[in-house]
Short mmCIF file of all heavy atoms in Angstrom, two decimals:
data_model
loop_
_atom_site.label_atom_id
_atom_site.label_comp_id
_atom_site.label_asym_id
_atom_site.label_seq_id
_atom_site.Cartn_x
_atom_site.Cartn_y
_atom_site.Cartn_z
N MET Y 1 0.90 -1.23 -0.08
CA MET Y 1 -0.08 -0.06 -0.02
C MET Y 1 0.91 1.19 -0.05
O MET Y 1 1.71 1.43 0.85
CB MET Y 1 -0.85 -0.04 1.27
CG MET Y 1 -2.23 0.78 1.00
SD MET Y 1 -3.14 0.81 2.50
CE MET Y 1 -3.39 -0.91 2.88
N PRO Y 2 0.67 2.13 -0.95
CA PRO Y 2 1.56 3.29 -1.06
C PRO Y 2 1.30 4.39 -0.05
O PRO Y 2 0.11 4.50 0.39
CB PRO Y 2 1.24 3.74 -2.51
CG PRO Y 2 -0.07 3.36 -2.77
CD PRO Y 2 -0.33 2.04 -2.01
N ILE Y 3 2.31 5.13 0.31
CA ILE Y 3 2.05 6.22 1.16
C ILE Y 3 2.29 7.42 0.24
O ILE Y 3 3.31 7.67 -0.46
CB ILE Y 3 3.12 6.23 2.20
CG1 ILE Y 3 2.94 5.17 3.26
CG2 ILE Y 3 3.12 7.63 3.10
CD1 ILE Y 3 3.93 5.05 4.49
N TYR Y 4 1.32 8.38 0.37
CA TYR Y 4 1.39 9.54 -0.42
C TYR Y 4 1.60 10.73 0.48
O TYR Y 4 1.17 10.82 1.57
CB TYR Y 4 0.12 9.76 -1.24
CG TYR Y 4 -0.04 8.83 -2.35
CD1 TYR Y 4 -0.93 7.77 -2.40
CD2 TYR Y 4 0.75 8.92 -3.52
CE1 TYR Y 4 -1.09 6.92 -3.32
CE2 TYR Y 4 0.63 8.01 -4.57
CZ TYR Y 4 -0.23 6.99 -4.53
OH TYR Y 4 -0.44 5.99 -5.47
N GLU Y 5 2.38 11.72 -0.03
CA GLU Y 5 2.65 12.83 0.83
C GLU Y 5 1.73 14.06 0.22
O GLU Y 5 1.73 14.36 -0.97
CB GLU Y 5 4.12 13.41 0.66
CG GLU Y 5 4.39 14.48 1.62
CD GLU Y 5 5.97 14.55 1.70
OE1 GLU Y 5 6.63 13.70 1.50
OE2 GLU Y 5 6.27 15.81 2.03
N TYR Y 6 1.05 14.69 1.04
CA TYR Y 6 0.08 15.77 0.62
C TYR Y 6 0.44 17.10 1.27
O TYR Y 6 1.15 17.12 2.37
CB TYR Y 6 -1.28 15.40 1.16
CG TYR Y 6 -1.91 14.22 0.39
CD1 TYR Y 6 -1.78 12.94 0.95
CD2 TYR Y 6 -2.62 14.37 -0.75
CE1 TYR Y 6 -2.27 11.82 0.25
CE2 TYR Y 6 -3.19 13.24 -1.43
CZ TYR Y 6 -2.91 11.99 -0.85
OH TYR Y 6 -3.56 10.83 -1.52
N LYS Y 7 0.07 18.14 0.73
CA LYS Y 7 0.27 19.41 1.25
C LYS Y 7 -1.14 20.12 1.24
O LYS Y 7 -1.75 20.25 0.14
CB LYS Y 7 1.23 20.19 0.52
CG LYS Y 7 1.58 21.55 1.13
CD LYS Y 7 2.58 22.37 0.27
CE LYS Y 7 2.94 23.66 0.93
NZ LYS Y 7 3.88 23.38 2.20
N CYS Y 8 -1.52 20.65 2.34
CA CYS Y 8 -2.78 21.31 2.44
C CYS Y 8 -2.68 22.66 1.78
O CYS Y 8 -1.69 23.44 2.06
CB CYS Y 8 -3.17 21.42 3.97
SG CYS Y 8 -4.75 22.39 4.12
N ASN Y 9 -3.70 23.06 0.98
CA ASN Y 9 -3.51 24.32 0.37
C ASN Y 9 -4.13 25.51 1.26
O ASN Y 9 -4.03 26.68 1.01
CB ASN Y 9 -4.30 24.41 -0.95
CG ASN Y 9 -3.67 23.44 -2.08
OD1 ASN Y 9 -2.41 23.41 -2.12
ND2 ASN Y 9 -4.51 22.75 -2.75
N ASP Y 10 -4.69 25.15 2.36
CA ASP Y 10 -5.38 26.10 3.16
C ASP Y 10 -4.38 26.54 4.33
O ASP Y 10 -4.34 27.66 4.70
CB ASP Y 10 -6.62 25.56 3.76
CG ASP Y 10 -7.76 25.52 2.60
OD1 ASP Y 10 -7.61 26.16 1.66
OD2 ASP Y 10 -8.83 24.90 2.88
N CYS Y 11 -3.86 25.59 4.94
CA CYS Y 11 -2.95 25.91 6.08
C CYS Y 11 -1.47 25.48 5.98
O CYS Y 11 -0.74 25.48 6.81
CB CYS Y 11 -3.50 25.11 7.40
SG CYS Y 11 -3.36 23.46 7.40
N ALA Y 12 -1.22 24.96 4.65
CA ALA Y 12 0.13 24.61 4.35
C ALA Y 12 0.72 23.50 5.14
O ALA Y 12 1.99 23.39 5.35
CB ALA Y 12 1.11 25.79 4.44
N GLU Y 13 -0.11 22.71 5.67
CA GLU Y 13 0.29 21.47 6.50
C GLU Y 13 0.74 20.42 5.55
O GLU Y 13 0.15 20.04 4.56
CB GLU Y 13 -0.88 20.98 7.30
CG GLU Y 13 -0.58 19.75 8.05
CD GLU Y 13 0.24 19.95 9.37
OE1 GLU Y 13 0.62 21.05 9.59
OE2 GLU Y 13 0.37 19.03 10.09
N ASP Y 14 1.97 19.89 5.86
CA ASP Y 14 2.45 18.76 5.15
C ASP Y 14 2.13 17.53 5.88
O ASP Y 14 2.34 17.35 7.18
CB ASP Y 14 3.95 18.76 5.00
CG ASP Y 14 4.37 19.83 3.94
OD1 ASP Y 14 3.88 19.73 2.78
OD2 ASP Y 14 5.06 20.71 4.33
N PHE Y 15 1.55 16.52 5.18
CA PHE Y 15 1.32 15.16 5.96
C PHE Y 15 1.28 14.00 4.96
O PHE Y 15 1.30 14.23 3.64
CB PHE Y 15 -0.15 15.30 6.59
CG PHE Y 15 -1.34 15.49 5.61
CD1 PHE Y 15 -2.08 14.52 5.22
CD2 PHE Y 15 -1.61 16.83 5.22
CE1 PHE Y 15 -3.06 14.64 4.31
CE2 PHE Y 15 -2.61 17.05 4.29
CZ PHE Y 15 -3.32 15.89 3.87
N GLU Y 16 1.47 12.88 5.46
CA GLU Y 16 1.53 11.61 4.68
C GLU Y 16 0.28 10.83 5.02
O GLU Y 16 -0.17 10.88 6.11
CB GLU Y 16 2.72 10.95 4.93
CG GLU Y 16 3.93 11.62 4.64
CD GLU Y 16 5.34 11.08 5.40
OE1 GLU Y 16 5.04 10.06 6.09
OE2 GLU Y 16 6.41 11.48 5.13
N LYS Y 17 -0.26 10.10 4.05
CA LYS Y 17 -1.28 9.21 4.23
C LYS Y 17 -1.23 7.89 3.52
O LYS Y 17 -0.80 7.97 2.28
CB LYS Y 17 -2.57 9.94 3.84
CG LYS Y 17 -3.84 9.31 4.27
CD LYS Y 17 -5.00 10.17 4.13
CE LYS Y 17 -6.21 9.69 4.68
NZ LYS Y 17 -6.25 9.66 6.18
N LEU Y 18 -1.54 6.83 4.17
CA LEU Y 18 -1.72 5.52 3.37
C LEU Y 18 -2.90 5.56 2.65
O LEU Y 18 -3.97 5.77 3.24
CB LEU Y 18 -1.67 4.44 4.48
CG LEU Y 18 -0.28 3.86 4.84
CD1 LEU Y 18 -0.65 2.89 5.97
CD2 LEU Y 18 0.27 3.03 3.71
N VAL Y 19 -2.75 5.32 1.33
CA VAL Y 19 -4.09 5.24 0.59
C VAL Y 19 -4.21 3.88 -0.09
O VAL Y 19 -3.16 3.23 -0.40
CB VAL Y 19 -4.03 6.30 -0.56
CG1 VAL Y 19 -4.20 7.61 0.14
CG2 VAL Y 19 -2.86 6.13 -1.39
N SER Y 20 -5.38 3.44 -0.31
CA SER Y 20 -5.51 2.08 -0.84
C SER Y 20 -6.24 2.09 -2.25
O SER Y 20 -6.04 1.27 -3.04
CB SER Y 20 -6.37 1.24 0.05
OG SER Y 20 -7.66 1.81 0.40
N GLY Y 21 -7.06 3.17 -2.46
CA GLY Y 21 -7.74 3.25 -3.67
C GLY Y 21 -7.18 4.23 -4.61
O GLY Y 21 -6.14 4.90 -4.36
N ALA Y 22 -7.72 4.24 -5.83
CA ALA Y 22 -7.15 5.22 -6.83
C ALA Y 22 -7.57 6.69 -6.61
O ALA Y 22 -6.91 7.59 -6.84
CB ALA Y 22 -7.66 4.79 -8.31
N ASN Y 23 -8.76 6.79 -5.89
CA ASN Y 23 -9.26 8.02 -5.63
C ASN Y 23 -9.57 8.14 -4.12
O ASN Y 23 -10.71 8.05 -3.74
CB ASN Y 23 -10.49 8.35 -6.40
CG ASN Y 23 -10.12 9.13 -7.73
OD1 ASN Y 23 -9.32 10.08 -7.62
ND2 ASN Y 23 -10.89 8.76 -8.81
N PRO Y 24 -8.61 8.20 -3.32
CA PRO Y 24 -8.77 8.15 -1.84
C PRO Y 24 -9.39 9.46 -1.47
O PRO Y 24 -9.05 10.61 -2.06
CB PRO Y 24 -7.30 7.99 -1.38
CG PRO Y 24 -6.50 8.52 -2.37
CD PRO Y 24 -7.07 8.25 -3.67
N ASP Y 25 -10.18 9.43 -0.40
CA ASP Y 25 -10.74 10.61 0.13
C ASP Y 25 -9.87 11.14 1.28
O ASP Y 25 -9.87 10.64 2.42
CB ASP Y 25 -12.16 10.36 0.70
CG ASP Y 25 -12.86 11.62 1.14
OD1 ASP Y 25 -12.50 12.62 0.74
OD2 ASP Y 25 -13.78 11.51 1.96
N VAL Y 26 -9.02 12.06 0.95
CA VAL Y 26 -8.08 12.57 1.92
C VAL Y 26 -8.41 13.94 2.23
O VAL Y 26 -8.71 14.84 1.36
CB VAL Y 26 -6.61 12.54 1.18
CG1 VAL Y 26 -5.50 13.03 2.23
CG2 VAL Y 26 -6.20 11.19 0.62
N SER Y 27 -8.20 14.26 3.53
CA SER Y 27 -8.39 15.60 4.06
C SER Y 27 -7.37 15.99 4.99
O SER Y 27 -6.64 15.08 5.54
CB SER Y 27 -9.82 15.76 4.62
OG SER Y 27 -9.98 14.83 5.75
N CYS Y 28 -7.13 17.18 5.13
CA CYS Y 28 -6.01 17.66 5.99
C CYS Y 28 -6.24 17.31 7.50
O CYS Y 28 -7.36 17.57 8.02
CB CYS Y 28 -5.89 19.28 5.95
SG CYS Y 28 -4.73 20.00 7.08
N PRO Y 29 -5.25 16.64 8.08
CA PRO Y 29 -5.55 16.30 9.59
C PRO Y 29 -5.41 17.40 10.50
O PRO Y 29 -5.88 17.35 11.68
CB PRO Y 29 -4.32 15.39 9.82
CG PRO Y 29 -3.25 15.78 8.86
CD PRO Y 29 -4.04 16.27 7.64
N LYS Y 30 -5.02 18.61 10.03
CA LYS Y 30 -4.78 19.81 10.89
C LYS Y 30 -6.17 20.62 10.93
O LYS Y 30 -6.69 20.96 11.93
CB LYS Y 30 -3.62 20.59 10.51
CG LYS Y 30 -3.31 21.67 11.46
CD LYS Y 30 -2.08 22.32 11.02
CE LYS Y 30 -1.63 23.50 11.84
NZ LYS Y 30 -0.42 24.12 11.53
N CYS Y 31 -6.54 20.91 9.64
CA CYS Y 31 -7.76 21.88 9.49
C CYS Y 31 -8.99 21.23 8.93
O CYS Y 31 -9.98 21.74 8.81
CB CYS Y 31 -7.36 23.11 8.66
SG CYS Y 31 -7.12 22.82 6.93
N GLY Y 32 -8.75 19.91 8.45
CA GLY Y 32 -9.88 19.19 7.88
C GLY Y 32 -10.25 19.60 6.47
O GLY Y 32 -11.29 19.12 5.90
N SER Y 33 -9.53 20.43 5.79
CA SER Y 33 -9.80 20.86 4.51
C SER Y 33 -9.50 19.71 3.51
O SER Y 33 -8.53 18.91 3.63
CB SER Y 33 -9.03 22.13 4.11
OG SER Y 33 -9.04 22.35 2.80
N GLY Y 34 -10.29 19.74 2.44
CA GLY Y 34 -10.07 18.70 1.33
C GLY Y 34 -9.34 19.36 0.26
O GLY Y 34 -9.00 18.76 -0.83
N ASN Y 35 -8.92 20.62 0.43
CA ASN Y 35 -8.18 21.31 -0.70
C ASN Y 35 -6.72 21.08 -0.38
O ASN Y 35 -5.88 21.89 0.20
CB ASN Y 35 -8.50 22.88 -0.46
CG ASN Y 35 -7.77 23.74 -1.51
OD1 ASN Y 35 -7.44 23.13 -2.53
ND2 ASN Y 35 -7.61 24.99 -1.35
N ILE Y 36 -6.30 20.02 -0.95
CA ILE Y 36 -4.90 19.52 -0.79
C ILE Y 36 -4.22 19.16 -2.11
O ILE Y 36 -4.98 18.88 -3.13
CB ILE Y 36 -4.93 18.23 0.17
CG1 ILE Y 36 -5.79 17.15 -0.33
CG2 ILE Y 36 -5.25 18.62 1.59
CD1 ILE Y 36 -5.70 15.83 0.39
N THR Y 37 -3.03 19.13 -2.13
CA THR Y 37 -2.28 18.77 -3.32
C THR Y 37 -1.43 17.47 -2.91
O THR Y 37 -0.67 17.43 -1.93
CB THR Y 37 -1.31 19.84 -3.74
OG1 THR Y 37 -2.01 21.03 -4.01
CG2 THR Y 37 -0.52 19.53 -5.00
N LYS Y 38 -1.49 16.53 -3.84
CA LYS Y 38 -0.70 15.31 -3.70
C LYS Y 38 0.70 15.54 -4.23
O LYS Y 38 0.91 16.01 -5.35
CB LYS Y 38 -1.32 14.17 -4.41
CG LYS Y 38 -0.56 12.81 -4.24
CD LYS Y 38 -1.29 11.61 -4.57
CE LYS Y 38 -1.38 11.57 -6.14
NZ LYS Y 38 -2.10 10.31 -6.47
N LYS Y 39 1.68 15.36 -3.47
CA LYS Y 39 3.16 15.79 -3.86
C LYS Y 39 3.68 14.57 -4.53
O LYS Y 39 3.98 14.68 -5.68
CB LYS Y 39 3.88 16.18 -2.61
CG LYS Y 39 3.43 17.56 -2.05
CD LYS Y 39 3.88 17.76 -0.65
CE LYS Y 39 5.38 18.09 -0.67
NZ LYS Y 39 5.86 18.50 0.65
N PHE Y 40 3.94 13.44 -3.85
CA PHE Y 40 4.46 12.24 -4.52
C PHE Y 40 4.30 11.17 -3.64
O PHE Y 40 3.93 11.26 -2.46
CB PHE Y 40 6.02 12.50 -4.89
CG PHE Y 40 6.80 12.80 -3.63
CD1 PHE Y 40 7.26 11.75 -2.81
CD2 PHE Y 40 7.15 14.17 -3.28
CE1 PHE Y 40 8.12 12.12 -1.68
CE2 PHE Y 40 7.94 14.41 -2.17
CZ PHE Y 40 8.29 13.44 -1.45
N SER Y 41 4.67 10.00 -4.18
CA SER Y 41 4.54 8.75 -3.48
C SER Y 41 5.94 8.30 -2.95
O SER Y 41 6.83 8.33 -3.78
CB SER Y 41 4.01 7.68 -4.31
OG SER Y 41 4.07 6.37 -3.68
N LEU Y 42 5.98 7.97 -1.73
CA LEU Y 42 7.27 7.62 -1.13
C LEU Y 42 7.74 6.20 -1.69
O LEU Y 42 8.90 6.05 -1.90
CB LEU Y 42 7.22 7.54 0.31
CG LEU Y 42 6.94 8.79 1.11
CD1 LEU Y 42 6.99 8.64 2.62
CD2 LEU Y 42 8.04 9.88 0.73
N PHE Y 43 6.71 5.32 -2.00
CA PHE Y 43 7.06 4.15 -2.61
C PHE Y 43 6.90 4.02 -4.02
O PHE Y 43 6.90 2.92 -4.58
CB PHE Y 43 6.29 3.04 -1.83
CG PHE Y 43 6.55 2.96 -0.34
CD1 PHE Y 43 5.60 2.63 0.57
CD2 PHE Y 43 7.85 3.20 0.16
CE1 PHE Y 43 5.79 2.56 1.90
CE2 PHE Y 43 8.17 3.13 1.46
CZ PHE Y 43 7.19 2.86 2.33
N GLY Y 44 6.51 5.20 -4.70
CA GLY Y 44 6.18 5.13 -6.10
C GLY Y 44 7.38 4.70 -7.02
O GLY Y 44 7.14 4.35 -8.08
N MET Y 45 8.55 4.78 -6.56
CA MET Y 45 9.65 4.48 -7.32
C MET Y 45 9.70 2.93 -7.74
O MET Y 45 10.12 2.63 -8.87
CB MET Y 45 11.09 4.82 -6.71
CG MET Y 45 11.09 6.25 -6.31
SD MET Y 45 10.42 6.48 -4.66
CE MET Y 45 11.11 8.10 -4.33
N SER Y 46 9.28 2.16 -6.77
CA SER Y 46 9.30 0.74 -6.97
C SER Y 46 8.25 0.37 -7.83
O SER Y 46 6.98 0.46 -7.54
CB SER Y 46 9.32 -0.05 -5.69
OG SER Y 46 8.10 0.24 -5.02
N GLY Y 47 8.44 -0.17 -9.03
CA GLY Y 47 7.44 -0.59 -9.92
C GLY Y 47 7.15 0.30 -11.09
O GLY Y 47 6.68 -0.06 -12.05
N VAL Y 48 7.38 1.55 -10.92
CA VAL Y 48 7.15 2.49 -12.00
C VAL Y 48 8.30 2.51 -12.97
O VAL Y 48 8.06 2.23 -14.18
CB VAL Y 48 7.00 4.04 -11.50
CG1 VAL Y 48 6.80 4.88 -12.63
CG2 VAL Y 48 5.83 3.95 -10.53
N GLU Y 49 9.54 2.64 -12.49
CA GLU Y 49 10.61 2.66 -13.32
C GLU Y 49 11.55 1.44 -12.95
O GLU Y 49 12.08 1.52 -11.82
CB GLU Y 49 11.40 3.90 -13.29
CG GLU Y 49 10.86 5.05 -14.12
CD GLU Y 49 11.75 6.34 -14.12
OE1 GLU Y 49 12.99 6.17 -14.37
OE2 GLU Y 49 11.34 7.38 -13.97
N LYS Y 50 11.60 0.43 -13.84
CA LYS Y 50 12.42 -0.61 -13.48
C LYS Y 50 13.75 -0.50 -14.29
O LYS Y 50 13.74 -0.07 -15.44
CB LYS Y 50 11.69 -1.98 -13.73
CG LYS Y 50 10.53 -2.10 -12.84
CD LYS Y 50 10.38 -3.56 -12.44
CE LYS Y 50 9.31 -3.76 -11.36
NZ LYS Y 50 9.45 -5.11 -10.75
N PRO Y 51 14.79 -0.99 -13.64
CA PRO Y 51 16.07 -1.05 -14.58
C PRO Y 51 15.97 -2.12 -15.57
O PRO Y 51 15.13 -2.95 -15.58
CB PRO Y 51 17.09 -1.48 -13.52
CG PRO Y 51 16.35 -2.12 -12.31
CD PRO Y 51 15.04 -1.37 -12.41
N VAL Y 52 16.77 -1.87 -16.59
CA VAL Y 52 16.62 -2.63 -17.89
C VAL Y 52 17.26 -3.98 -17.76
O VAL Y 52 17.94 -4.46 -18.56
CB VAL Y 52 17.13 -1.83 -19.09
CG1 VAL Y 52 16.45 -2.27 -20.25
CG2 VAL Y 52 17.01 -0.42 -18.95
N THR Y 53 17.20 -4.54 -16.62
CA THR Y 53 17.86 -5.81 -16.40
C THR Y 53 16.83 -6.93 -16.26
O THR Y 53 16.88 -7.56 -15.21
CB THR Y 53 18.82 -5.72 -15.12
OG1 THR Y 53 18.08 -5.23 -14.06
CG2 THR Y 53 19.95 -4.81 -15.35
N SER Y 54 15.93 -6.98 -17.06
CA SER Y 54 15.01 -8.12 -16.91
C SER Y 54 15.73 -9.46 -17.27
O SER Y 54 16.45 -9.56 -18.28
CB SER Y 54 13.84 -7.95 -18.04
OG SER Y 54 14.37 -7.73 -19.36
N SER Y 55 15.57 -10.39 -16.51
CA SER Y 55 16.46 -11.57 -16.41
C SER Y 55 16.21 -12.34 -17.76
O SER Y 55 15.24 -12.88 -18.11
CB SER Y 55 16.18 -12.52 -15.26
OG SER Y 55 14.79 -12.78 -15.22
N GLY Y 56 17.28 -12.45 -18.50
CA GLY Y 56 17.28 -13.29 -19.66
C GLY Y 56 16.84 -12.75 -21.00
O GLY Y 56 17.33 -13.08 -22.06
N SER Y 57 15.86 -11.90 -21.00
CA SER Y 57 15.19 -11.47 -22.26
C SER Y 57 15.84 -10.13 -22.71
O SER Y 57 15.41 -9.65 -23.69
CB SER Y 57 13.81 -11.32 -21.97
OG SER Y 57 13.58 -10.32 -21.00
N GLY Y 58 16.81 -9.56 -21.94
CA GLY Y 58 17.26 -8.26 -22.28
C GLY Y 58 18.13 -8.32 -23.60
O GLY Y 58 18.09 -7.45 -24.39
N CYS Y 59 18.88 -9.40 -23.75
CA CYS Y 59 19.90 -9.39 -24.81
C CYS Y 59 19.97 -10.84 -25.39
O CYS Y 59 20.06 -11.76 -24.70
CB CYS Y 59 21.22 -8.96 -24.30
SG CYS Y 59 22.49 -8.95 -25.59
N SER Y 60 19.83 -10.91 -26.67
CA SER Y 60 19.84 -12.23 -27.29
C SER Y 60 21.28 -12.68 -27.63
O SER Y 60 21.46 -13.90 -27.90
CB SER Y 60 19.07 -12.18 -28.57
OG SER Y 60 19.52 -11.28 -29.52
N SER Y 61 22.19 -11.86 -27.59
CA SER Y 61 23.64 -12.19 -27.98
C SER Y 61 24.51 -12.61 -26.81
O SER Y 61 25.58 -12.78 -27.10
CB SER Y 61 24.08 -11.09 -28.80
OG SER Y 61 24.26 -9.93 -27.93
N CYS Y 62 23.98 -12.50 -25.68
CA CYS Y 62 24.88 -12.91 -24.56
C CYS Y 62 24.06 -13.87 -23.74
O CYS Y 62 22.88 -14.05 -23.70
CB CYS Y 62 25.23 -11.70 -23.63
SG CYS Y 62 23.95 -11.03 -22.68
N SER Y 63 24.92 -14.74 -23.02
CA SER Y 63 24.28 -15.81 -22.15
C SER Y 63 24.05 -15.25 -20.74
O SER Y 63 23.49 -16.03 -19.97
CB SER Y 63 25.21 -17.14 -22.19
OG SER Y 63 26.51 -16.67 -21.80
N SER Y 64 24.64 -14.16 -20.46
CA SER Y 64 24.42 -13.68 -19.10
C SER Y 64 23.07 -13.22 -18.89
O SER Y 64 22.30 -12.87 -19.80
CB SER Y 64 25.46 -12.47 -18.82
OG SER Y 64 25.05 -11.75 -17.72
N SER Y 65 22.62 -13.27 -17.70
CA SER Y 65 21.23 -12.85 -17.33
C SER Y 65 21.21 -11.39 -17.12
O SER Y 65 20.03 -10.90 -17.09
CB SER Y 65 20.70 -13.62 -16.15
OG SER Y 65 21.56 -13.38 -15.03
N SER Y 66 22.25 -10.78 -17.02
CA SER Y 66 22.17 -9.32 -16.67
C SER Y 66 22.57 -8.48 -17.82
O SER Y 66 22.40 -7.32 -17.75
CB SER Y 66 23.04 -9.06 -15.42
OG SER Y 66 24.40 -9.17 -15.78
N CYS Y 67 23.19 -8.96 -18.84
CA CYS Y 67 23.69 -8.20 -19.94
C CYS Y 67 24.74 -7.29 -19.58
O CYS Y 67 25.17 -6.34 -20.45
CB CYS Y 67 22.56 -7.47 -20.57
SG CYS Y 67 21.75 -8.36 -21.94
N LYS Y 68 25.36 -7.35 -18.45
CA LYS Y 68 26.46 -6.30 -18.07
C LYS Y 68 27.72 -6.68 -18.72
O LYS Y 68 28.67 -5.90 -18.92
CB LYS Y 68 26.63 -6.43 -16.54
CG LYS Y 68 25.55 -5.57 -15.89
CD LYS Y 68 25.77 -5.70 -14.35
CE LYS Y 68 24.71 -5.00 -13.57
NZ LYS Y 68 24.75 -5.24 -12.12
N SER Y 69 27.83 -7.95 -19.26
CA SER Y 69 29.14 -8.38 -19.83
C SER Y 69 29.21 -8.00 -21.33
O SER Y 69 30.28 -8.09 -21.89
CB SER Y 69 29.30 -9.87 -19.63
OG SER Y 69 28.20 -10.57 -20.16
N CYS Y 70 28.07 -7.77 -21.97
CA CYS Y 70 28.15 -7.57 -23.46
C CYS Y 70 27.91 -6.11 -23.74
O CYS Y 70 27.87 -5.80 -24.92
CB CYS Y 70 27.19 -8.49 -24.16
SG CYS Y 70 25.44 -8.03 -23.90
N HIS Y 71 27.49 -5.28 -22.85
CA HIS Y 71 27.29 -3.94 -23.28
C HIS Y 71 28.23 -2.99 -22.67
O HIS Y 71 28.53 -3.10 -21.54
CB HIS Y 71 25.78 -3.49 -22.71
CG HIS Y 71 24.76 -4.11 -23.62
ND1 HIS Y 71 24.47 -3.65 -24.80
CD2 HIS Y 71 23.81 -5.08 -23.22
CE1 HIS Y 71 23.50 -4.37 -25.37
NE2 HIS Y 71 23.05 -5.24 -24.41
ZN1 LIG M 1 -5.03 22.11 6.42
#
C-alpha cells in the first residue's frame, strides 16, 4: 500500500497518508480541508521505473542474465 505525501492548500500543512484506492478521500488532519495537493509517493519508485535488467530477455547475443558483460 503506497504512502502519499500531501500538502494542504489552506494551512500549508504537510502530511502523509496511506491510501488504498485510486481516488482516496483525503483531508487535512490539521484543519480538515479537502483542498490538498498530492506531492509524490514515497514508494512510487518501485514498480514505476524498473532497470533494464529483466532476467534473460534483455539481450539475445549474450548468455548472461544481466547483460552487463556484453554492453
Ligand atoms: Zn489544512
Side-chain angles (χ1 to χ4, degrees):
M1 207 184 299
I3 295 180
Y4 291 105
E5 188 170 332
Y6 294 90
K7 184 181 186 69
C8 178
N9 294 323
D10 286 347
C11 70
E13 172 82 354
D14 287 303
F15 61 98
E16 299 164 357
K17 195 168 183 69
L18 269 171
V19 294
S20 54
N23 267 320
D25 188 19
V26 183
S27 56
C28 174
K30 190 176 179 182
C31 70
S33 169
N35 185 19
I36 54 174
T37 302
K38 183 164 75 175
K39 290 165 71 176
F40 58 85
S41 167
L42 294 181
F43 298 146
M45 305 89 167
S46 61
V48 178
E49 279 189 49
K50 295 219 170 191
V52 208
T53 53
S54 54
S55 55
S57 61
C59 178
S60 58
S61 63
C62 74
S63 55
S64 165
S65 59
S66 68
C67 271
K68 280 177 183 170
S69 56
C70 72
H71 282 292

